[in-house]
């Protein structure tokens, strides 16, 4: 469960209330929960009447011009638009306007993987005030200049998503296990995961499967050392 991110969600709510806020960009290492947090932002936007859309950038989609934007572009949009400058932008603009009267909020997950055509078109839509973007970017990845420019504007917000604190790790464990968790167990999971929610999830699932994490008189405790996990090793690799 999403825990320990109240400050980030409140920051997004303030940004959403500002007229003309263009983008909210989440930076962080793999597994810290950027995508989950972005989904929470989208849910908040929906609750306030904003239409939403999702774009998933990937290395595979980047092999095709505008491949990442296929879910939000009209089916008959001319991807080349060479014979009519601005036709593709207008088609995208109309598609976004058709979503509703309020400014659409578009989630762009893994924005560092966007192909240049998709990045440029999204930037044009942002600059025209057609959409507000919520983007996730992984630390250490090479980011197209046009994308890194999203958070440099005075009308944008950058949020650096860090690891969970020990207290937040304990809250996550208790929420997931639906009961109190021993302090030593919380410490063991927090130190082993480094506060990374994705790693923490894998450790907990594997400990449950191996029978190392059990409820002892109503309190969850870790019995012995954390077991090795092939799945976690592959994930980290």
């Amino acid at each position: 469960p999403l825990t320990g991110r109240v400050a980030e969600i409140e920051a997004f709510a303030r940004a959403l209330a500002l007229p003309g806020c263009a983008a909210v960009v989440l930076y962080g290492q793999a597994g810290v929960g950027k995508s989950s947090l972005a989904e929470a932002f989208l849910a908040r936007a929906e609750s306030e009447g904003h239409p939403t859309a999702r774009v998933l950038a990937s290395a595979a989609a980047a092999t095709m011009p505008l491949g990442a934007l296929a879910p939000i572009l009209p089916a008959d949009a001319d991807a080349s638009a060479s014979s009519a400058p601005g036709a593709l932008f207008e088609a995208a603009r109309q598609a976004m306007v058709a979503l509703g009267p309020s400014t659409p909020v578009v989630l762009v997950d893994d924005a560092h993987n966007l192909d240049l055509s998709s990045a440029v078109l999204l930037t044009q839509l942002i600059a025209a005030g057609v959409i507000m973007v919520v983007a996730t970017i992984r630390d250490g990845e090479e980011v197209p200049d046009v994308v890194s420019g999203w958070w440099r504007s005075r009308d944008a917000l950058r949020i650096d998503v860090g690891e969970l604190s020990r207290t937040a790790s304990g809250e996550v464990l208790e929420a997931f296990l639906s009961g109190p968790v021993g302090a030593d167990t919380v410490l063991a999971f927090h130190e082993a995961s480094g506060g990374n929610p994705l790693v923490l999830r894998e450790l907990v699932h594997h400990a449950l499967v191996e029978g190392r994490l059990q409820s002892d008189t109503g309190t969850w405790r870790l019995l012995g050392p954390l077991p090795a996990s092939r799945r976690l090793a592959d994930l980290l690799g």
Side-chain angles (χ1 to χ4, degrees):
L2 186 66
T3 305
R5 303 300 190 194
V6 174
E8 289 87 346
I9 293 174
E10 289 179 347
F12 172 75
R14 291 192 296 270
L16 187 64
L18 291 174
C21 183
V24 175
V25 181
L26 300 171
Y27 268 82
Q29 295 182 358
V32 294
K34 300 183 298 297
S35 297
S36 297
L37 188 54
E39 287 289 349
F41 288 179
L42 233 61
R44 179 62 176 261
E46 288 176 351
S47 71
E48 297 191 15
H50 291 267
T52 60
R54 290 168 176 80
V55 171
L56 176 59
S58 67
T63 62
M64 299 180 295
L66 301 172
L69 300 190
I72 67 172
L73 287 177
D76 59 350
D78 181 4
S80 64
S82 57
S83 60
L88 183 60
F89 168 81
E90 183 58 25
R93 187 192 69 80
Q94 291 182 10
M96 292 295 97
V97 170
L99 293 177
S102 299
T103 303
V105 179
V106 179
L107 167 59
V108 185
D109 208 7
D110 288 338
H112 50 275
N113 285 327
L114 280 173
D115 63 277
L116 186 57
S117 297
S118 296
V120 169
L121 180 55
L122 284 170
T123 302
Q124 292 171 338
L125 293 170
I126 293 170
V130 177
I131 61 173
M132 175 183 179
V133 160
V134 173
T136 68
I137 296 177
R138 186 185 304 163
D139 275 346
E141 296 288 344
E142 186 175 351
V143 183
D145 288 343
V146 68
V147 173
S148 62
W150 290 355
W151 61 266
R152 295 188 185 129
S153 165
R154 65 179 181 179
D155 297 322
L157 171 67
R158 169 172 168 160
I159 297 176
D160 292 288
V161 184
E163 291 78 12
L164 296 173
S165 66
R166 178 179 171 182
T167 299
S169 292
E171 292 173 354
V172 169
L173 289 168
E174 292 190 350
F176 175 72
L177 296 169
S178 300
V181 181
D184 290 345
T185 298
V186 170
L187 179 61
F189 277 111
H190 177 69
E191 290 186 342
S193 67
N196 185 294
L198 181 59
V199 177
L200 178 62
R201 183 185 70 185
E202 294 299 326
L203 289 170
V204 170
H205 278 297
H206 192 62
L208 287 169
V209 169
E210 294 294 316
R212 300 285 185 90
L213 182 59
Q214 298 182 9
S215 180
D216 178 21
T217 63
T219 299
W220 289 91
R221 301 188 188 281
L222 186 63
L223 308 179
L226 282 166
S229 166
R230 174 66 181 273
R231 173 172 161 154
L232 181 56
D234 289 345
L235 177 69
L236 293 174

